[in-house]
Structure formats: structure tokens, C-alpha cells
Amino acid sequence: MPRDVKADIFKTVEDTVAEFREAEDVKTAFGKPRVGFVSANHPLYDTLFARGVNDHPKNIYRPGYTVIVHYVPYEEGENAFFDAVKLTMAINGNIRRYLDKLGRLTSNTCIPIDWDCEQCREEWCSKYTAWMAGMGSFGPAGSFHVPGETDRGIAGTIITDGLYGEKPPEMTSEELEAAFNEMMKDCRFKGTEGVECSDELIAACPAGAIDRDGIDRKKCQDYCEKINSHTPNPEVCGKCFNCR
């Protein structure tokens, strides 16, 4: 019987999360993991790269054909974000070890603590792949929302030469533009056409980085840097994440 690689990878992720929950030094509550497989040739990667929003999987790892993405929701708490980063690194490590045994080539991508302060963002954001995999939608400040789960979660990716993703969709320029605009508009960052922030969202920000026409990424970053000087990711604050 041929090996079901996707099922094996999903079980690897589930087992890693279960083991992590039992660690004595982990206080964060983690929810049910999701796993997806997206072709590295998905046309949205080209759009994101061309717009200077995200690196391209082929730029990170030329032989890659599939981007494997996982997403794990977690409850807010002290050190929760950094517990989540440790978890996503453990998941990626275990997936890579499994694929190594199959003779598959793999490459890591950046993780959320690899922050570019000049761009006010990660060089590679795994949430875009989670979006392409149909796991959920974006929210304020680049948060990601899975139906029925908390407003916090960690996404991680690795790239492999294995062919596990669906055939990349054919998308017209209009469809690509609409998808890109949907993601950017949901993030509520300034400079995106059609963004309008609610009173609830404006009031939620302790940094005063949000007004009616969007979130000022630099002001947001400056405030988050006071919370964690090494990783001024909005995840270390997240006060606006549960606003709509």
C-alpha cells in the first residue's frame, strides 16, 4: 500500500502539538492544528512578491514545489507568542525529519521573530499560505482568524521538492487583484484603498496607531518594540486582534 504522506504529516503535527502541551515549561493552551499543502507556483505568490509584500517560495528555495503550512490557535497569556514560536519550530523540525526519511529535500522559511524593522513586517509571512490553503482570513494588524477559534494563532511553513499541493489555480489579473486587495483590506493597514476602521478598533490600540483610515505600521511597531525590543511583531501586543 502506498504511503499517505499528507496523512503522515498531519499526524506528525498533531503529535508534536500534543507533546508540546505536556511540557512542564509551557503554560500556553494550544488548540486544534490545521495543515495545508499549497503549490509553490500559486500565482498569488507572484503578486505578493511583485508588490513587495512577501518573499517568494521559489526565491527562498528554488527546487521547492510544495509549501506545507500549519496553523495552531492559542490562548492569550504571558509568553504565549514565544511559546507558539517554539511550537512552530518544533513542528517544522519534525516534518523535515519525516521528509528526510523519504529522501525529500526541504527548506525552512522565516519565522515570526525574523522581523524586518525597515519594512515593519516579516520577510516571509506564513499566514499568506494559510490563506491560500483556505484556513481562514486576515484581521487587524495582520492577525489571522480561523472560524470557531481564538483570535490568536501561529502559522509556520516549510518548502519541499515533493509534489503534495493541489495544481495551482489559474487566476486572471482581476482575480489576483481582488484576492490581494481582500487580504490587504482585512489587515487594515494605511495606504490600502477602501480601509475604514471602527471606533472599537481605534479605541483598542494603546499606541494610538489606528485612526479612521487604517493602522500606521510604524507607530504599531514602535509600541511593540517597547514590549519586546527584539521582535516588534504586532503579536506581542494584539489588543486589536479581536476587533472587526
Side-chain angles (χ1 to χ4, degrees), residues 27 31 38 51 68 86 92 116 133 179-180 189 208 217 222 238:
K27 307 301 181 185
V38 177
R51 299 294 180 87
I68 302 172
K86 291 177 186 176
N92 282 342
D116 186 333
F180 178 82
F189 290 124
R217 297 183 79 139
D222 288 347

Side-chain angles (χ1 to χ4, degrees), residues 160-178:
T160 178
D161 66 343
L163 289 168
Y164 308 125
E166 300 291 333
K167 181 181 178 182
E170 294 183 5
M171 300 177 71
T172 65
S173 58
E174 290 79 11
E175 290 171 333
L176 288 168
E177 185 73 14

Side-chain angles (χ1 to χ4, degrees), residues 138-153:
F138 280 94
S143 55
F144 196 75
H145 302 273
V146 173
E149 293 290 356
T150 69
D151 295 311
R152 300 274 186 155

